[in-house]
Amino acid sequence: MRNMVLALLAVTLSPALLVSPASAASICAADLNANGDAADEGEMAACQIAIDGGALCPIEAIPCTASGDGNYACPLGEQYACSTTMPGMAPRCSPHSCIDTGANPIDTVEPVDDPGAAADGTIDDEGNCLGSIEIFSGRALRCRPPGASVTFQNCCKDRDKIIKDGMGGSIGAIGTKIAIAKGVFTGMKAAYTAFRAGATASQAASAGANAIIIGIDPTSIAISLAVNFMMEVLLAGCDQQDMETGMLKGSGMCHEIGSYCSSSILGICIQKARGHCCFNTKLGRILQEQGRPQLAAFSQIGWGTPREPYCRGFTTQEFQALDFSRMDLSEYYEEIEARAQTEIEIDMKDRIDAYLETVSP
């Protein structure tokens, strides 16, 4: 399994893929589709430096028309300046103005740092919790669709099922699932950093593979999918929370709440984000979606807001009050029925191999 990870990392760590775009000192943005923001592809661009020292927005730029005296005028109106960006090129004009990001910095909303329900209650001598218990608690996460901050890459793209649900296995707590996602990110970032520092692809792959495997049960994730996914999101400019959300969402463990503006400049939204509540299993997500409408405690706040999701678990009293006969659990039943005997046997073999790899000298 370790050799497989090394091979995949060596292939994906290509110098041609590790080039990051340079940031522009002047940008322009326009709401071309009239949806209230400029966060969609083609609605933001780096301004082009003009020969006269000005700047031209390339969005909807058109050629200027020459007058009899040798001057140029903008067909869109005299209030728009004509600018030449290259010698010998005809001047152009745009209805959109340029914004100096040095004088007008981009305002970015930091994502919610939600560690999930803390195990901070008191316990008795036998380890039993004496405080409040949350059942099927979740964690607030966000991912970003194409926009300025992620170079118009889709960090919310649905992924394959990377994290295994467990279905009675040892993987139970949301903290464990998040630890898996964080572990994959740490490993792949280690490989990326080593490669940029001059390591060979093989050396970088070794660094990444070691960081991924240490402390993670290999049977809890589809490692080959995780490796490819991690390289994709890193090279696309996605951050750790984008990656965590993508892994859990693709595995069916997240409830999407809605979108909000995460980055703007001069009041113009140039990057959206989508807020989620992510749970430890697909069953946890389904029970939360089906159970919350039955409880008065959630009637006002619901799922919270896209920017600040409300992901707490059920109290024991709330869980006991749920009427499971009113729930549609067909999605969960279908997944269980789809697990053929051969798949179960493969899972068992994976767990045995993982154990032997752990204890082998």
Side-chain angles (χ1 to χ4, degrees):
M1 186 172 293
R2 182 185 298 269
N3 291 337
M4 177 183 67
V5 177
L6 291 172
L8 284 166
L9 279 169
V11 170
T12 51
L13 286 168
S14 167
L17 296 176
L18 300 179
V19 179
S20 59
S23 58
S26 181
I27 64 172
C28 58
D31 182 11
L32 300 179
N33 56 12
N35 67 344
D37 59 59
D40 299 312
E41 188 170 4
E43 294 188 331
M44 197 201 80
C47 288
Q48 300 169 354
I49 304 302
I51 293 177
D52 60 6
L56 173 69
C57 175
I59 299 175
E60 297 186 317
I62 61 173
C64 292
T65 57
S67 59
D69 56 5
N71 293 318
Y72 287 87
C74 179
L76 301 172
E78 60 182 18
Q79 69 270 33
Y80 302 112
C82 293
S83 300
T84 302
T85 56
M86 291 183 64
M89 178 181 289
R92 295 180 298 156
C93 61
S94 171
H96 310 294
S97 58
C98 292
I99 303 172
D100 182 356
T101 57
N104 303 282
I106 296 174
D107 183 20
T108 299
V109 176
E110 292 299 321
V112 174
D113 184 13
D114 179 13
D120 57 0
T122 56
I123 57 175
D124 60 19
D125 294 337
E126 297 180 353
N128 299 312
C129 179
L130 300 177
S132 60
I133 298 175
E134 288 191 18
I135 302 172
F136 293 115
S137 61
R139 182 184 177 213
L141 290 171
R142 70 93 174 94
C143 62
R144 293 170 293 176
S149 301
V150 294
T151 60
F152 296 97
Q153 303 296 314
N154 188 2
C155 295
C156 284
K157 181 181 177 181
D158 286 341
R159 313 293 175 178
D160 292 322
K161 186 175 181 180
I162 295 174
I163 301 180
K164 298 182 181 180
D165 205 335
M167 294 189 185
S170 61
I171 304 300
I174 182 66
T176 306
K177 293 296 175 66
I178 298 300
I180 293 171
K182 287 180 180 292
V184 174
F185 182 89
T186 301
M188 299 309 299
K189 193 171 183 180
Y192 180 86
T193 302
F195 193 87
R196 292 300 297 269
T200 66
S202 177
Q203 291 169 337
S206 179
N210 288 335
I212 289 175
I213 293 174
I214 293 174
I216 293 180
D217 172 11
T219 65
S220 62
I221 63 173
I223 292 183
S224 61
L225 294 178
V227 169
N228 290 330
F229 165 71
M230 191 59 247
M231 290 308 301
E232 181 181 349
V233 298
L234 271 179
L235 298 174
C238 308
D239 64 15
Q240 180 166 341
Q241 196 166 128
D242 287 318
M243 188 276 301
E244 293 174 16
T245 309
M247 290 182 67
L248 294 166
K249 179 173 177 283
S251 301
M253 301 176 187
C254 298
H255 172 85
E256 183 173 334
I257 299 165
S259 64
Y260 64 96
C261 182
S262 62
S263 295
S264 62
I265 186 167
L266 293 181
I268 304 171
C269 181
I270 57 174
Q271 178 67 62
K272 295 178 183 177
R274 295 174 184 167
H276 297 76
C277 280
C278 296
F279 301 92
N280 62 323
T281 63
K282 179 181 286 189
L283 178 61
R285 187 263 300 168
I286 294 171
L287 289 179
Q288 282 277 353
E289 291 176 340
Q290 299 284 327
R292 286 190 177 210
Q294 298 184 22
L295 302 171
F298 292 94
S299 61
Q300 294 296 323
I301 193 169
W303 291 92
T305 65
R307 183 172 171 177
E308 296 184 352
Y310 185 58
C311 306
R312 78 163 175 86
F314 300 124
T315 65
T316 53
Q317 293 80 8
E318 289 170 342
F319 191 73
Q320 291 170 354
L322 294 177
D323 183 354
F324 285 85
S325 67
R326 294 165 53 192
M327 296 185 183
D328 179 8
L329 304 179
S330 57
E331 180 183 353
Y332 183 67
Y333 296 149
E334 289 171 0
E335 177 159 318
I336 296 177
E337 293 172 355
R339 286 172 58 84
Q341 181 65 28
T342 54
E343 292 179 309
I344 296 173
E345 291 173 356
I346 290 172
D347 281 350
M348 293 175 64
K349 181 180 182 301
D350 286 345
R351 289 188 177 276
I352 294 172
D353 290 345
Y355 173 76
L356 293 176
E357 182 175 326
T358 301
V359 299
S360 297

